[in-house]
Amino acid sequence: MTATTERIALAGDRARPVRLGLRAIAALVLVSAIGVAAFSWPLLADPGFGAAHEKDAPWLFAALLPLLVAVAVATISDSGMDAKAVAMLGVLAAVGAALRPLGAGTAGLEPMFFLMVLSGRVLGPGFGFVLGSVTMFASALLTGGVGPWMPFQMLAMAWFTMGAGLLPGRTRLRGRAEVLMLAVYGSVAAFAYGTVMNLYGWTIVPPAGSGISFVAGDPVHENLVRFLAYCVATSLGWDLGRAVLTVALILAVGPTLLKALRRATRRAAFEAQVTFEVPKG
């Protein structure tokens, strides 16, 4: 192996996720804070305030779009990426959107989740956040799933994908250990995604006197107990199906897809370009 070839191979082994600068971090913190408030405000609202999430979805969507652009622009600016990187983000979002209808949501089987885990791992938390949100938006347009729940799904998927980019060992952990870590994350995060989305759906379901319904104005701790019971009774099976499929796909195609994604990020200038040196002597 020549010195130049060896240097290129070494650069490939050390492929790094997109660097997260201070501006991108600030944008992520801001949009996440808005998201947390959007999901949780009904727990603190007075009983006479009105139906939970009745009119807040359009406002959340209007706030989410410019903040997503801010995250993307800040990430691009901090890392010095070019148009090819943005094009790759679009391709991954299109593939993820196309994967979602394959399971049709049956028993929680949604194959797009495994791609979000692997892509978030390679792209890092900033681009991962944008990818998750854009993918969910595109899939909603593709499947006709546009509704007041859409901005909440965008946020939940953005957090799901960002979490994969925040996992440790981004530059050193490779092989079976990395795939197993991603499988564990995919399993846990699949349940977390379902739980977060339950917090949206639970607050808009009319009270049925079943002991698991949301009661506006009740103490937060009492409503949270009902919420846990609601999750177990209504969505545990769906979340389990999502987790099992995500883990199975990560274990089956994770190693191959991770290599392909890392190769693509190098070509899309996600990292410093390889320098060529003539060996001495």
Side-chain angles (χ1 to χ4, degrees), residues 14-209:
R14 295 178 179 177
R16 295 174 179 271
V18 181
R19 185 171 64 88
L20 201 62
L22 292 178
R23 287 173 293 186
I25 292 174
L28 282 173
V29 170
L30 178 58
V31 69
S32 294
I34 292 174
V36 170
F39 273 102
S40 60
W41 73 260
L43 296 174
L44 306 175
D46 294 330
F49 190 81
H53 300 303
E54 185 180 33
K55 299 179 180 180
D56 63 341
W59 293 103
L60 176 61
F61 185 69
L64 183 59
L65 287 184
L67 287 172
L68 284 175
V69 173
V71 173
V73 170
T75 304
I76 292 171
S77 176
D78 291 339
S79 58
M81 296 182 296
D82 60 15
K84 291 183 292 184
V86 180
M88 180 179 174
L89 179 67
V91 170
L92 288 174
V95 173
L99 284 174
R100 191 183 183 197
L102 296 181
T106 304
L109 302 180
E110 297 175 278
M112 68 178 292
F113 281 80
F114 95 96
L115 179 62
M116 295 298 100
V117 172
L118 300 178
S119 299
R121 173 66 172 177
V122 173
L123 300 180
F127 249 49
F129 186 94
V130 177
L131 174 62
S133 188
V134 172
T135 301
M136 186 58 73
F137 176 71
S139 69
L141 296 180
L142 182 64
T143 61
V146 177
W149 55 83
M150 186 181 69
F152 295 91
Q153 288 180 326
M154 291 171 61
L155 273 169
M157 183 57 73
W159 288 329
F160 178 93
T161 311
M162 180 180 69
L166 293 173
L167 294 174
R170 292 184 296 175
T171 59
R172 297 180 180 179
L173 189 63
R174 294 291 186 271
R176 182 178 300 178
E178 181 182 34
V179 173
L180 289 176
M181 179 184 70
L182 293 176
V184 171
Y185 170 79
S187 175
V188 175
F191 283 96
Y193 173 87
T195 301
V196 169
M197 285 308 303
N198 281 342
L199 188 57
Y200 163 78
W202 173 64
T203 57
I204 63 176
V205 174

